[in-house]
């Protein structure tokens, strides 16, 4: 994540609209009248984001009228791009933080982390706009945290969490191969809730199984051949090579917390049963 997102002027889109020719004086004045309240709401957002307490936002921000909400929606639809803010936001992210699989490009969508249908205050607030693939944006939709344990990980505020591996895979001692997903033990309780909420909100469980099944299918035949010729030691060495090859450093811009290849090969490597017995006739 590029830190430039924090340097974006909070009211840049608002000021661009106010200073744009062709906008009626009445609309400019209406926006000026709520600008101070919006800036206060933005400060609340940043504070709660730093604390991981977005469930408290509803009680701490101003009330937006339907008319002002429509104006802010117009700013998002027509002036976010014109002001250059949309392009600047997309320059901060390469991969969709939802599925962590699809690329987030200018052709992708912007997800309102706190949904605009409930919080129009943040329609054009840069820190509420997350580059997201269309599928993830549609699936997440209007998820709202109602309690501390409902919060999702925020790509801009939970950078430490987004620089950690989230999942571990546990191999069951049955054939054909079966496995299960779990959250890594080293994560804090609060972070575990966030990761689980992320998986649920983006409906990722089935997708995770599909991807891991595909990874295994791509390597199953080679692993069997190696077991038949080199035994357990050869299998373990080959899996270690795959595990090391799939590792991505958290310092890399390509790192994603849901690195399924690394989690799966690590699980196979740690499973004495798989390395010793899975391919026995």
């Amino acid at each position: 994540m590029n830190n430039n997102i924090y340097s974006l002027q909070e009211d840049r889109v608002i000021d661009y609209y106010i200073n744009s020719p062709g906008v009626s004086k009445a609309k400019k004045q209406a926006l000026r009248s709520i600008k101070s309240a919006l800036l206060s709401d933005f400060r609340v957002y940043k504070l709660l984001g730093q604390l991981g307490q977005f469930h408290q936002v509803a009680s701490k921000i101003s009330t937006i009228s339907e008319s002002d909400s429509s104006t802010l929606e117009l700013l998002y639809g027509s002036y976010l791009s014109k002001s250059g803010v949309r392009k600047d936001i997309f320059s901060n992210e390469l991969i969709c933080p939802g599925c962590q699989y699809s690329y987030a490009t200018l052709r992708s969508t912007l997800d309102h982390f706190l949904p605009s249908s409930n919080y129009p205050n943040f329609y054009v607030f840069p820190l509420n706009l997350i580059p997201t693939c269309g599928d993830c944006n549609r699936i997440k939709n209007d998820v709202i945290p109602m309690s501390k344990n409902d919060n999702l990980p925020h790509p801009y505020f939970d950078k430490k969490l987004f620089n950690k591996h989230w999942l571990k895979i546990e191999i069951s001692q049955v054939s054909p191969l079966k496995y299960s997903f779990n959250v890594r033990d080293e994560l804090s309780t609060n972070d575990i809730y966030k990761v689980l909420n992320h998986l649920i909100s983006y409906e990722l469980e089935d997708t995770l199984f599909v991807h891991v099944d595909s990874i295994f299918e791509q390597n199953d035949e080679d692993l069997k051949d190696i077991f038949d010729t080199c035994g357990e030691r050869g299998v373990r060495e080959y899996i270690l090579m795959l595990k090391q090859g799939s590792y991505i450093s958290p310092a890399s811009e390509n790192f994603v917390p849901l690195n399924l290849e690394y989690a799966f090969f690590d699980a196979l490597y740690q499973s004495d049963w798989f390395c010793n017995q899975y391919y026995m006739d």
Side-chain angles (χ1 to χ4, degrees):
M1 173 61 63
N2 191 316
N3 288 326
N4 287 341
I5 188 69
Y6 300 103
S7 65
L8 288 180
Q9 182 183 341
E10 297 170 352
D11 55 354
R12 181 167 151 191
V13 181
I14 296 172
D15 284 349
Y16 185 90
Y17 178 79
I18 290 174
N19 295 316
S20 293
V23 178
S24 70
K25 291 183 179 180
K27 288 185 177 181
K28 289 183 178 183
Q29 184 56 42
L31 196 54
R32 288 193 186 99
S33 69
I34 64 169
K35 180 179 175 180
S36 177
L38 289 175
L39 290 176
S40 177
D41 295 339
F42 296 169
R43 289 191 290 271
V44 169
Y45 186 106
K46 288 196 292 186
L47 176 60
L48 295 180
Q50 292 164 358
L51 297 174
Q53 296 181 4
F54 280 116
H55 60 286
Q56 296 188 25
V57 71
S59 63
K60 298 182 182 297
I61 58 175
S62 62
T63 301
I64 300 294
S65 69
E66 288 187 16
S67 175
D68 289 335
S69 177
S70 297
T71 299
L72 291 169
E73 183 178 8
L74 172 66
L75 265 64
Y76 174 74
S78 299
Y79 289 86
L80 191 72
S81 293
K82 293 178 181 179
S83 66
V85 170
R86 190 175 194 276
K87 182 178 180 180
D88 287 345
I89 290 173
F90 272 97
S91 71
N92 286 273
E93 188 62 85
L94 297 174
I95 307 269
C96 169
C99 61
Q100 301 174 23
Y101 185 75
S102 299
Y103 285 97
T105 69
L106 275 170
R107 291 173 294 176
S108 302
T109 63
L110 282 174
D111 172 49
H112 289 86
F113 186 83
L114 292 182
S116 56
S117 57
N118 298 88
Y119 303 108
N121 317 52
F122 307 120
Y123 245 123
V124 292
F125 181 41
L127 292 181
N128 193 48
L129 301 175
I130 315 295
T132 307
C133 74
D135 286 341
C136 284
N137 198 350
R138 182 172 55 256
I139 291 169
K140 175 176 171 286
N141 200 11
D142 292 341
V143 172
I144 301 173
M146 303 302 293
S147 69
K148 179 181 179 180
N149 293 339
D150 293 336
N151 284 292
L152 300 177
H154 194 300
Y156 302 153
F157 293 101
D158 290 302
K159 291 195 297 181
K160 288 184 178 180
L161 180 55
F162 274 90
N163 280 332
K164 296 178 180 179
H165 291 282
W166 288 358
L167 295 182
K168 65 178 180 180
I169 296 175
E170 298 171 343
I171 304 297
S172 301
Q173 296 186 16
V174 295
S175 182
L177 187 70
K178 291 186 178 181
Y179 53 88
S180 59
F181 295 100
N182 209 335
V183 181
R184 296 183 72 91
D185 299 330
E186 58 265 31
L187 296 183
S188 68
T189 300
N190 189 44
D191 284 344
I192 288 174
Y193 275 114
K194 287 184 176 181
V195 169
L196 292 175
N197 292 334
H198 183 99
L199 299 177
I200 293 170
S201 296
Y202 290 102
E203 300 179 6
L204 291 178
E205 184 177 14
D206 288 345
T207 300
L208 298 181
F209 276 108
V210 169
H211 284 322
V212 172
D213 284 348
S214 176
I215 295 168
F216 184 57
E217 288 173 6
Q218 292 171 18
N219 293 278
D220 186 21
E221 187 174 332
D222 289 341
L223 287 167
K224 186 178 187 312
D225 289 344
I226 292 171
F227 182 83
D228 290 341
T229 57
C230 302
E232 175 270 339
R233 181 176 179 180
V235 168
R236 199 178 292 275
E237 288 178 350
Y238 185 71
I239 294 173
L240 178 60
M241 179 191 70
L242 294 174
K243 173 185 171 182
Q244 292 173 336
S246 62
Y247 176 78
I248 302 174
S249 168
S252 169
E253 64 179 10
N254 295 317
F255 177 82
V256 292
L258 297 175
N259 185 339
L260 296 180
E261 287 85 357
Y262 178 77
F264 182 58
F265 293 137
D266 182 53
L268 295 181
Y269 182 77
Q270 299 295 336
S271 173
D272 292 335
W273 172 83
F274 180 85
C275 295
N276 282 296
Q277 300 183 42
Y278 184 76
Y279 290 108
M280 293 182 68
D281 293 332

